[in-house]
Amino acid sequence: MCIRDRYMGISRQSKLKSSVFARFITTTDKRIDIIYSDINDIHFNLAFEEFLFEKETLRNPTLLLWRNDKTVVIGRHQNPWKECHLQAMEKDHVKLSRRRTGGGAVYHDLGNSCFSFLIPTVGDAFPLVCKEANNKILVDSLKSLGIDAVAAGRNDITVEGRKVSGSAYQVSLGRRDGTNRKALHHGTMLRDLDQSAALKYLNPNKAKLKSKGVDSVVARIRNLKELKPDITHELLCERIADEFKKYYADHEVFQKKVNYSELSTNSVINQIFEELRSYNWLYGTTPEFSNQIETRFDWGVIDLNVKVEQNRIVDAKVYSDCLFPDFISKMNEILQGGTITYDKQGIDKLREELIVAHLNHAQVVPMIEQFSTWAKSAL
């Protein structure tokens, strides 16, 4: 095998300008590409991955190795209000990200090592037949470190029955003539994950929340560092890359490092990046759901029932034994108007409208303040 390790990270501005729109992967047959990302921003890493998969002409098997700082990543059809503790995430500056692929909610930090296999298929093979090959590469990389791992279930890798890796898939069936078929298989290796953070930010206790989204499976997880204390991100990536090379032993190898300075000048990547971090993608694509929350104040019980579509309250009913019925009626009127979003900004808007409506009722204003403070913490 002829291996040429080409690390092409660009640092000087003159080089950067000449390669802004250069290809990141090769197009000559019988080659494989291995790309290492130095970026820790989940939205930018996913934007680069999507660019490679959707915008580049994927000719050869490609491996992308990366990791992210503190982030909760949900599947394409999941409900962030059900899967995440959004208030805690906001307080601790933990990002929210929504994948294009399916699967459940996971917590990322720098103790995770992430992989993406971007594999073109030829002939009559179905794109996902490469999943077994990818899992073999991952399992063999762990075995090379003395870790006896096995592929288990639909998308996990386990050690002694405990999960050390999870993944998700996306396939493209290509053109009508059968060309350009490909598969994306991406996931994480739990190397030294902050498990207490995962418990803090995932799956809050909202037993009354009903959703048409996909529930995340709370699985027993295990850090690889428990099994090999000296494991690092760099060592794990090196072993995955080595097994990728072994699997495609008759291919020439091209390796590349990318950084933010290089990728941020690519207008297509930036466009995908802006979409993936947009409010509409993160929250507006949430499936329809309903929620019921209840509390008691000194001035009465509040039983709030809402129906939410695309992050907007489309129907609501507030029940209460409050002695100011006009206050409750006005709240119902505003909530049923379709202008209130299901977030802190929406509750702030509701608060402002209620205060304007009750400027001549000094007794009600403190009640509005109490309600809005509670609602922002309870939703």
Side-chain angles (χ1 to χ4, degrees):
M1 173 177 62
C2 175
I3 298 179
R4 291 193 288 169
D5 291 346
R6 304 200 308 178
Y7 291 95
M8 300 170 62
I10 299 171
S11 58
R12 293 197 303 270
Q13 188 66 21
S14 59
K15 284 187 176 181
L16 181 61
K17 288 181 179 178
S18 65
S19 63
V20 166
F21 297 104
R23 290 184 55 81
F24 293 99
I25 52 180
T26 58
T27 56
T28 306
D29 289 338
K30 301 296 284 187
R31 292 182 177 179
I32 59 173
D33 293 275
I34 302 174
I35 305 175
Y36 303 87
S37 172
D38 286 338
I39 301 167
N40 300 140
D41 184 298
I42 178 64
H43 300 120
F44 218 95
N45 278 322
L46 288 179
F48 180 50
E49 177 193 75
E50 182 173 328
F51 175 82
L52 293 177
F53 189 65
E54 298 289 355
K55 306 303 181 182
E56 289 269 34
T57 301
L58 189 63
R59 185 74 171 269
N60 297 308
T62 299
L63 172 64
L64 174 63
L65 296 165
W66 45 296
R67 60 177 173 168
N68 304 302
D69 211 340
K70 297 186 296 183
T71 308
V72 171
V73 187
I74 61 176
R76 180 167 187 164
H77 297 293
Q78 285 194 292
N79 182 344
W81 284 277
K82 182 173 184 181
E83 302 297 338
C84 317
H85 195 320
L86 293 173
Q87 288 79 18
M89 289 169 58
E90 181 179 356
K91 179 181 177 182
D92 297 342
H93 306 289
V94 177
K95 291 183 178 180
L96 174 68
S97 179
R98 184 188 293 276
R99 299 186 301 270
R100 304 283 196 193
T101 52
V106 292
Y107 174 71
H108 284 210
D109 61 22
L110 294 178
N112 265 353
S113 295
C114 303
F115 58 84
S116 302
F117 294 95
L118 303 96
I119 311 295
T121 57
V122 296
D124 295 328
F126 186 72
L128 276 186
V129 298
C130 62
K131 182 177 70 171
E132 292 183 5
N134 300 338
N135 282 339
K136 173 176 170 53
I137 291 168
L138 296 171
V139 168
D140 288 349
S141 70
L142 294 178
K143 288 184 176 179
S144 75
L145 294 167
I147 300 172
D148 189 18
V150 296
R154 292 186 306 163
N155 55 6
D156 295 342
I157 293 175
T158 63
V159 176
E160 299 174 350
R162 296 175 64 187
K163 180 176 178 179
V164 298
S165 175
S167 57
Y169 311 95
Q170 178 180 344
V171 300
S172 173
L173 298 180
R175 305 183 183 96
R176 290 184 178 182
D177 62 3
T179 61
N180 200 34
R181 294 193 299 169
K182 52 195 173 184
L184 168 63
H185 173 196
H186 60 185
T188 64
M189 286 283 193
L190 308 182
R191 186 175 36 78
D192 190 19
L193 180 77
D194 183 351
Q195 297 187 27
S196 64
L199 293 174
K200 181 178 181 180
Y201 303 125
L202 294 178
N203 297 309
N205 182 18
K206 295 185 178 180
K208 294 182 179 180
L209 185 61
K210 298 179 180 179
S211 174
K212 295 181 180 178
V214 180
D215 288 332
S216 289
V217 178
V218 179
R220 291 186 304 157
I221 61 176
R222 187 174 195 176
N223 276 323
L224 295 172
K225 194 168 185 178
E226 298 175 29
L227 305 163
K228 186 172 177 57
D230 62 342
I231 193 169
T232 64
H233 174 69
E234 292 75 18
L235 175 60
L236 182 56
C237 289
E238 175 187 308
R239 295 304 177 90
I240 296 173
D242 286 345
E243 295 302 326
F244 190 67
K245 295 173 188 177
K246 287 180 183 179
Y247 189 85
Y248 295 100
D250 59 341
H251 288 57
E252 188 176 7
V253 179
F254 282 75
Q255 299 195 147
K256 177 181 178 66
K257 285 184 178 178
V258 296
N259 54 44
Y260 179 79
S261 295
E262 181 179 4
L263 300 186
S264 63
T265 57
N266 185 301
S267 60
V268 180
I269 295 175
N270 270 302
Q271 183 178 2
I272 301 171
F273 167 69
E274 292 297 338
E275 179 185 355
L276 291 179
R277 70 177 187 143
S278 69
Y279 188 92
N280 185 60
W281 172 251
L282 294 175
Y283 299 99
T285 57
T286 299
E288 172 190 323
F289 67 96
S290 60
N291 194 11
Q292 184 270 333
I293 51 177
E294 183 177 346
T295 194
R296 176 180 290 277
F297 298 102
D298 291 342
W299 42 267
V301 170
I302 288 288
D303 180 2
L304 173 62
N305 298 261
V306 295
K307 179 180 178 182
V308 182
E309 294 180 4
Q310 302 297 304
N311 191 42
R312 190 169 299 278
I313 296 174
V314 295
D315 195 11
K317 182 64 177 178
V318 179
Y319 300 95
S320 178
D321 58 0
C322 173
L323 296 178
F324 295 87
D326 289 346
F327 163 48
I328 303 302
S329 296
K330 187 62 178 180
M331 189 185 305
N332 277 316
E333 177 186 330
I334 297 171
L335 287 171
Q336 293 167 7
T339 64
I340 305 300
T341 52
Y342 189 79
D343 51 25
K344 288 184 177 181
Q345 291 75 22
I347 298 301
D348 284 339
K349 185 175 187 297
L350 172 63
R351 169 187 168 277
E352 291 172 3
E353 294 190 24
L354 285 172
I355 288 177
V356 169
H358 294 86
L359 290 177
N360 297 323
H361 298 83
Q363 312 97 307
V364 176
V365 173
M367 297 161 53
I368 296 172
E369 297 290 3
Q370 290 178 356
F371 167 81
S372 63
T373 299
W374 165 75
K376 284 192 286 187
S377 65
L379 289 181

